[in-house]
Amino acid sequence: NAGVTQTPKFQVLKTGQSMTLQCAQDMNHNSMYWYRQDPGMGLRLIYYSASEGTTDKGEVPNGYNVSRLNKREFSLRLESAAPSQTSVYFCASSPGLMNTGELFFGEGSRLTVL
Amino acid sequence: AQRVTQPEKLLSVFKGAPVELKCNYSYSGSPELFWYVQYSRQRLQLLLRHISRESIKGFTADLNKGETSFHLKKPFAQEEDSAMYYCALTNTGGFKTIFGAGTRLFVKA
């Protein structure tokens, strides 16, 4: 019962470095999401994928790219990391094509950009 | 535009006291509203959704469209209720779930 799995759990980067956060779900869900969590600001949607083959911008997409590799996997890439991207990142998935139900979350990935 | 506002960053109550976590939203259509909870060292998880009109762990929440609110209530708080609570809104027929800033509830013995 893995649910939503994110890797890595922790990462420290220097300004300008790139990295990819990986997310995989084993619940056969159609929709997947990336959020960032910052103190006092809650969770903010970065990108989402309503279904395999589609991706769309959320509230705070600048500085990020995503790939919906297949139905199971949805990755988030930082091409040139900045200190403002220091955050905890959460991947989530939901069952239907229409996001009218429960989101299932991963454990989070803590990223620090120096 | 969608917006969810949780005015309290921190709420501290004594065990056995009533608790109310406030949530106000802004949305022009018919929203779907949720409360999520994050206990220490656990994943963020759904607590309840307005469409189900359910009570989970003694918590209830009523959607008030006139006041655009979805406050979370429990008549008698327990220490195990201490957690971070997030109110969330999904636009009907859409794909975006927007979260509030969260309220940390601390229940004192």
Side-chain angles (χ1 to χ4, degrees):
Chain A
N1 286 349
V4 178
T5 304
Q6 295 179 229
T7 56
K9 287 188 169 49
F10 300 94
Q11 184 74 49
V12 179
L13 293 176
K14 294 180 180 177
T15 297
Q17 288 185 316
S18 62
M19 77 157 298
T20 299
L21 296 173
Q22 307 284 357
C23 175
Q25 52 90 10
D26 61 3
M27 296 175 282
N28 200 35
H29 284 172
N30 286 298
S31 302
M32 298 184 74
Y33 310 84
W34 277 105
Y35 289 88
R36 60 178 288 175
Q37 183 185 46
D38 301 290
M41 304 191 75
L43 284 87
R44 291 180 292 169
L45 182 63
I46 305 171
Y47 270 94
Y48 63 96
S49 171
S51 61
E52 186 179 355
T54 70
T55 61
D56 282 287
K57 295 178 180 179
E59 300 170 275
V60 288
N62 291 346
Y64 304 95
N65 284 301
V66 291
S67 296
R68 183 75 182 264
L69 304 168
N70 47 56
K71 191 172 185 179
R72 291 187 65 248
E73 298 172 289
F74 188 41
S75 63
L76 178 72
R77 182 159 179 84
L78 286 70
E79 291 291 352
S80 179
S84 60
Q85 294 177 304
T86 293
S87 187
V88 180
Y89 291 84
F90 287 96
C91 179
S93 68
S94 69
L97 287 172
M98 306 296 277
N99 182 17
T100 56
E102 179 178 356
L103 292 178
F104 293 81
F105 284 86
E107 291 181 301
S109 299
R110 185 174 294 276
L111 174 66
T112 301
V113 183
L114 302 174
Chain B
Q2 293 170 241
R3 178 173 290 178
V4 177
T5 303
Q6 293 180 251
E8 304 132 333
K9 285 190 168 60
L10 174 67
L11 190 60
S12 183
V13 300
F14 283 102
K15 177 182 172 181
V19 63
E20 181 179 51
L21 287 79
K22 291 185 167 53
C23 173
N24 288 92
Y25 67 90
S26 172
Y27 180 59
S28 56
S30 294
E32 300 202 19
L33 286 145
F34 305 84
W35 277 97
Y36 283 81
V37 60
Q38 189 173 28
Y39 300 104
S40 179
R41 299 189 185 87
Q42 294 188 27
R43 302 183 188 213
L44 195 63
Q45 58 188 286
L46 179 70
L47 179 63
L48 55 80
R49 70 195 85 187
H50 92 271
I51 199 168
S52 302
R53 301 186 65 81
E54 56 202 344
S55 173
I56 302 293
K57 299 185 179 182
F59 284 98
T60 58
D62 289 318
L63 177 60
N64 185 324
K65 291 188 177 181
E67 295 182 358
T68 60
S69 68
F70 187 56
H71 303 328
L72 183 68
K73 300 176 184 179
K74 185 169 183 176
F76 307 102
Q78 303 300 314
E79 289 180 76
E80 55 266 29
D81 296 328
S82 295
M84 192 75 174
Y85 291 81
Y86 290 98
C87 183
L89 178 155
T90 299
N91 53 334
T92 305
F95 300 94
K96 291 184 181 181
T97 295
I98 305 297
F99 288 79
T103 298
R104 181 165 295 283
L105 175 64
F106 182 55
V107 181
K108 298 175 284 190

